[in-house]
Amino acid sequence: MDVQMAVFHCADGFLKQLMVTKLSQCQYALPLLVPDPFTRQIEFPLWTFRQINKSWKKNNNGEIISQTQSIYKAETPMVFFFRFGCVSSSKSQLMNSLINEKHNTFFHRNCTGSSRTRVLMDGVVEIAWFCPSSGKNTDKFTDCVAFCNLHGDAGDHEKQLEILTEKASVNVVLLPQLQKNDRSAEKIQNLFRITTPLICLITEEEYTVRKIKKGKFKIGLKDRNQSDVSEELRRAIKDCLQESSSTFKLEDVSKYSDIRVDEEDDDECWRGREAAQTMMSLLENKDLTEIKESFLPCQGKLWRHWCQKNKELHRPQGDETEIDISRKETEIKNIRQQQHECGISEFIKLFIKAMNSNTANKMKFFIKWLRILLDEHTSADLSALHHKYNKKWSAVIKLKENHDDPEQFKAEQLIAEQTELERISEELQAANFGLEHIMREIGQIYESCSSVKKNKKDLKFDFSSLPSLAAEMMISGFPLELMDGDAAHVPLVWISAVLDQLIQKLGDKRVFVLSVLGIQSSGKSTMLNAMFGLQFAVSAGRCTRGAFMQLVKVSDKMKTQRKFDYILVVDTEGLRALELAGRSTRHHDNELATFVVGLGNLTLINIFGENPSEMQDILQIVVQALMRMKKVRLNPSCVFVHQNVSDITAEEKNMEAKRRLQKTLDEMTKLAAKEEDSDAECFSDIIRFDVQKDVKYFAQLWEGSPPMAPPNPNYCENIQELKKTIMSHALNSQGMRLTHLKVRIKDLWEALLKERFVFSFRNSLEISAYRKLETKYSKWSWSLRSAMMETENKLHNKIENESIHEVEETDLQRELKKTSEEVDKSMSEFFEKDKDKDIMIQWKTSFKIKINYVQENIVRETKRKLNEILQQRDMKKEIDAQRTNHENTLFEKSKELALQLKDKANNEETLKTEFDSFWEKRVRKIISDTSSIKDIDIMRDVREILSDTHGSVCVDPWRESRDIFTVPNYSDYVKVKKSSGLTGALTNVVRSAQNTFGYILYKEDEAKIRALVTDVAQQTDKTIQSFNISKMGYNISSIQQLIGYIKARVMQHEEGSVQYEFKNEFSMDLVISICKKANKTITDQHRLFREANDPVIYVKKKREEYYSIFKKYLNGATSAAIFGEIICQKLKEPIEQSVYKKTSRELAAEMRSNCESMNGNRSNLEKHILKKLAEEEDFDKYMNYIHKPRDHFMDYIRDEVSQYIKDKFSVSVLPKMKENIKLLQQKIMTAAHESTEHVQENRGDAGLWLKSFTQRLSDELVFSEKDLSGVKHDDVDDFNLLEVVIRQELSAIMSDISSRFNTETFDKKLDCKFRPDELLIEHLCKCCWVQCPFCRAICTNTIENHDGDHSVPFHRVIGIKGWCYVESKNLASDICTNLVTSDKIFVSENGEFPCKEYRKAGGVYADWSITPDCSELPYWKWYVCRFQKDLETHYKQTFDESRAIPEEWRKLTKKDAIDSLDKYI
């Protein structure tokens, strides 16, 4: 006891209160008067009693009445025990025998661990209460009685003696003998004089009870049986109590002036009480059932109505239209507006003021005081209402069992009684008023302000600070309502805001979520309170409703072991609870179980008693919840806690019980599997579960019958064992971060709102993590692609220079090895260190496989390209040789002319005339020997080829064709396939209908044809690039190859499982559309080829170069000088190409980093495309985007790159080009210098110098010895001079190249495949392009041919694609996510199917996952309203004004549409 008192003296007010509350729960005596160990001043710790309630039953004129009272307010008789001198008998032990023989309420000298010496207990007065349990004569006392015990000799503690004897109903004194000369004789005589009954217990005398006079007794204790003494004493006390009318109230002790009252002495406690009392004064004289309606208006009917409407919104009925949905959304907004218009009561204002103006300690005192005073204010009325309810419930039961009354009379009476029962239950609900209701009101104030986006008029500070109050409460250890138990709804906006504040105050801490499920009043909250010292409500009439969460801080030692900072405990209302009106709530139970099981890392399943039917019900609910978790890939754990088991020590019995439980769980799994459409056969199929470790049997909580029964020690041991099991589960769990918890709550609740949980659940954490991973994947793949582009460029130069003659994959892999290792390292670090690593670990292997595949694909593709260059190099040798021959011939003839004129003409004009004459003759000679390269007309060639191949068909290829990419549908292009299975009269009917109306395609047929067109266009793009026209030139055979490929693909499509075949117009229009699209690319590439190889153009460009050489020969320049100039002239074009290519690659990399639209994945790019479309408001561009998304993306990238080059040319592009040309100049001069040194060291000639020079540049430039094969250099021997000349000439060439840098040159100077836009297209457009069969939204997966379903976070209005209602032929305004929840039916080639079961339609529908939710993008609603007329014209159908487009959609502005993209994507 000294240890207990030492802790008590050292504790603050909160710990003292906790200690005393726990002592009371354990049926131990509590310190009432405590002397200070140093000053001996007496303290009355009234504050510590404030949370204690006692319950008892008493007989009131034959009626048994239950009472629950705060003990500090209870007025009860009080029996005061004290002693004088040293006595042989234990006073405390004697008191225990009066209260509870089986429990040491008062610790005494004979208890284990006790001693006779006392250090801190002398003068301490302890108090305990006896509470009758039955209200019958069998109780030891018929009413609640307080027992006070003064430790030590009463003669030494006069103040305590004075106070307690004055307040006592009966005084009981122990002393050795009654002697007149004893120092205590005078005090005993005074006790005999006063009217208060007195019982003297004489330890040294043997007689039985003797009545000295009225109200005065003495009993001898020496050598007497303890039980006899106890019985006599009890009778004597009962007699005295009958005669005494005085009562004792704890609060009255504080009125004595000589003692210190703890709560009055503590300024923070006093101020907290004052603030709480100010609030409570507003409730005085108010009807309890009307308080919430008056003071908490936001959470009453308005909140419940909002919840109901919100559920209706998420659970559309039948064939609801978008107008119906929009109407509900409007109603919800209006309710929020009404909530916002409700004034804030003075009660709530005072609460917010007190919370804002207090320190953490003051706030805790304030909240505790408020809870205490609220409980005090409501307990009496609640108790009376519960009594009234129970009485009425009993009457209903009795009436149901009564078989004597006539049926009709009985039915009428039963209805009347049940109506009255429901009225009482509503009163009970209205009267239930606690801190959770105040916080709920604040939550609703916040949610209404958030909805209308402005402050309430009488709120003196910004509403955004309200969640901070709740966060502070949670940090201080108070529970917060997670699910509103009255409305059965989670206020998501409020909870999310509170968690945001929690993250802001604590950081994004990791929490282990422990949730508990069980039948009502099965001891869930008691178990949690005992295990973690929590404050969940457990008193009668205050069972948990809804769900509450409370933070439990983890010690630093445990943090290092368990990897989390807090345990978040989620306590719930009981399953199988009858609502107050007596209705079963099976659906609500399923909702609640699914919610908390999904939320918890570990769920405790609390089973009470051994009733098989109750056990079976809860197990079925739990198993179904766990099965749902498995289906949505959440993996919680569970532990079964079987409470109130009679004999937990029998091992054999436990083993048999576990076997039965396992069997029941397996049976429940089979039942739940039918409901959830699962193939699970046994419980272990849905969750990892060890029946030996994960089932705990608990002893009964109380050792005896409450309210006097102490806790069972075995129960406490069971609690510790369970805590160890929980910690072992926690050891193997990563828990979750608070940010993840917030998202998990949102995901679970939104899925539950839609009823079809598994179908509706969206794991936002996984979606967010996967998007982050995709973004990283995009960067990793870009690193590999970028590195390979450098390698490809280097090897391309070597191939052109004929340095290499074959390319092996091993060579490319070796070149890529370093980057590959860096990517592997980056991936490993990302999966190990990212905050979402626990979520992303499931994709680690698959993404490593994908990166390996990307790498292999890059290597394979690069090898293919380089091998094509090798083949084309050999094919164009003749062209190159002819060109080189022309150049060298001109060089030699220029040299000869110069030598002829060297001494004959000095006049510049004469020399120029002579050279011009010479030049014209030589050019005429070249032109006569070689044919010039003509301009081309691609479309003429296409139509001529089509005329030849379709000569016998009545289709004119020269007719006006249609753009196959933009036609609204393909019905005009198809006819019934002859082998489609239609026979006889039916065939004639179909053909007749076709002749009249045209063939009507199903939507999936349309999708298949569009997919064919898109894929053929993509493949032909690749084929055209492989022709390398800029190097090889144009040949009509390439068009023939394209047309042949297109026709083959069309035939292949027709041979598939389709019911139609194409008309000839389809093939023609497809060919013409594709070739029109490719026309510019082919023409541009041919222009580059012509400029490089047409002798007229090429030789004309070279005139000034040769004139310069001619003049230098005339002026007597040496061979070395002339050779140096020729080398520089030959280097000019390769230098230019190298600079442009390198700058192009760098520009692509820069845009990947700096350009907002390019620096993420495809979804980010799409967001910027949609913004631009909205800004431009061009319907044709929208149609291009909707029907040809890949082409639109490519065009957008090209436009963005072009604009970027224009905008950033002077600050980014030009500096890059200048830097690259400078670096190249340095490399060339280094190569020249090293070649000079090499020749001088080896005594070589000009041939050796040239070989060394070209080899050193072979990685950087397309420049080799063959470029100078016709230039004689035998007489070049001054290599130092050659180096000097190259340095001089190179500077001039570099300046000339630099001077021509401008924004247009990329298109002109580079083959398209080397341009920055094409490099970005190659990277960003290698992804999934499959479109939703309903609305044409593009699958957001960034990986081509990905595994699993196609999906998109936001679908569109299906009318955008042209869907119509069958009955009205009006364009449909449904959004896919709403459509799949409706009872509507759509028609496909395989028949009619409910939209709810769209996958059963097969084909394109089966591969899509369309999640029902309310997350449609406002963007597309705005689009439909803005372009309604255009859509109607395009599809030749109209929207039904009366029911198609909701009026709310028309209120959306372009800004709203654009803002929604940033908000949701």
Side-chain angles (χ1 to χ4, degrees), residues 1081-1111:
T1081 302
I1082 295 173
T1083 305
D1084 286 348
Q1085 290 194 10
H1086 180 71
R1087 175 183 54 76
L1088 290 173
F1089 173 79
R1090 187 180 173 203
E1091 287 176 359
N1093 295 284
D1094 188 301
V1096 176
I1097 298 171
Y1098 179 75
V1099 171
K1100 187 178 179 181
K1101 287 197 298 186
K1102 291 289 181 181
R1103 183 190 178 286
E1104 292 306 317
E1105 293 176 20
Y1106 285 97
Y1107 182 61
S1108 174
I1109 293 168
F1110 165 75
K1111 286 205 302 181

Side-chain angles (χ1 to χ4, degrees), residues 986-1250:
L986 183 58
T987 309
N988 295 330
V989 170
V990 171
R991 285 184 178 158
S992 173
Q994 183 184 332
N995 292 334
T996 307
F997 305 109
Y999 185 82
I1000 306 301
L1001 282 168
Y1002 290 104
K1003 292 292 180 185
E1004 59 263 47
D1005 289 332
E1006 289 275 359
K1008 286 177 183 177
I1009 297 171
R1010 199 168 293 281
L1012 169 69
V1013 170
T1014 302
D1015 189 53
V1016 169
Q1018 289 176 22
Q1019 295 306 319
T1020 51
D1021 280 349
K1022 290 180 181 177
T1023 305
I1024 290 165
Q1025 283 194 17
S1026 72
F1027 291 151
N1028 203 5
I1029 293 169
S1030 63
K1031 297 292 182 185
M1032 301 300 299
Y1034 167 76
N1035 193 303
I1036 196 169
S1037 64
S1038 58
I1039 299 297
Q1040 290 170 330
Q1041 185 179 333
L1042 286 179
I1043 292 173
Y1045 169 77
I1046 293 167
K1047 285 185 175 179
R1049 286 294 304 275
V1050 171
M1051 287 176 65
Q1052 184 184 354
H1053 183 87
E1054 287 177 326
E1055 289 165 2
S1057 57
V1058 294
Q1059 302 297 317
Y1060 54 85
E1061 58 186 28
F1062 292 110
K1063 298 176 184 177
N1064 288 315
E1065 286 90 338
F1066 177 78
S1067 296
M1068 283 196 176
D1069 284 357
L1070 180 58
V1071 168
I1072 291 168
S1073 297
I1074 286 174
C1075 291
K1076 274 183 178 177
K1077 185 179 159 198
N1079 190 12
K1080 184 177 185 304
T1081 302
I1082 295 173
T1083 305
D1084 286 348
Q1085 290 194 10
H1086 180 71
R1087 175 183 54 76
L1088 290 173
F1089 173 79
R1090 187 180 173 203
E1091 287 176 359
N1093 295 284
D1094 188 301
V1096 176
I1097 298 171
Y1098 179 75
V1099 171
K1100 187 178 179 181
K1101 287 197 298 186
K1102 291 289 181 181
R1103 183 190 178 286
E1104 292 306 317
E1105 293 176 20
Y1106 285 97
Y1107 182 61
S1108 174
I1109 293 168
F1110 165 75
K1111 286 205 302 181
K1112 285 185 179 176
Y1113 268 118
L1114 276 173
N1115 294 330
T1118 64
S1119 297
I1122 300 296
F1123 188 53
E1125 184 172 349
I1126 292 170
I1127 287 171
C1128 289
Q1129 293 297 340
K1130 295 279 186 182
L1131 282 170
K1132 187 174 182 180
E1133 189 176 329
I1135 287 170
E1136 197 169 50
Q1137 280 293 303
S1138 176
V1139 169
Y1140 274 100
K1141 282 184 184 179
K1142 192 167 191 300
T1143 305
S1144 178
R1145 294 193 299 274
E1146 290 174 348
L1147 198 54
E1150 179 176 286
M1151 289 190 73
R1152 281 279 301 148
S1153 299
N1154 300 343
C1155 189
E1156 282 188 14
S1157 58
M1158 306 291 170
N1159 66 1
N1161 55 16
R1162 211 269 309 277
S1163 295
N1164 175 64
L1165 177 59
E1166 186 171 20
K1167 177 175 78 173
H1168 287 83
I1169 287 173
L1170 290 172
K1171 281 185 178 181
K1172 188 172 182 182
L1173 284 168
E1175 286 160 359
E1176 292 178 348
E1177 297 190 54
D1178 187 319
F1179 179 73
D1180 291 334
K1181 286 185 179 179
Y1182 265 112
M1183 284 294 103
N1184 182 56
Y1185 160 76
I1186 289 165
H1187 294 294
K1188 296 190 293 179
R1190 190 173 188 275
D1191 288 349
H1192 192 90
F1193 273 68
M1194 291 164 67
D1195 290 341
Y1196 177 85
I1197 292 170
R1198 290 183 183 116
D1199 291 344
E1200 281 291 288
V1201 171
S1202 176
Q1203 193 61 46
Y1204 189 86
I1205 290 172
K1206 287 177 184 175
D1207 295 344
K1208 303 284 185 178
F1209 187 77
S1210 59
V1211 294
S1212 178
V1213 182
L1214 189 59
K1216 278 185 177 58
M1217 298 181 85
K1218 287 184 175 179
E1219 179 64 21
N1220 288 335
I1221 206 167
K1222 181 181 175 183
L1223 289 172
L1224 197 52
Q1225 184 176 356
Q1226 289 171 358
K1227 287 177 181 178
I1228 292 169
M1229 289 315 306
T1230 300
H1233 180 69
E1234 289 175 352
S1235 297
T1236 301
E1237 287 182 342
H1238 179 66
V1239 169
Q1240 289 171 348
E1241 286 172 7
N1242 293 281
R1243 300 179 183 279
D1245 57 6
L1248 179 62
W1249 187 94
L1250 186 60

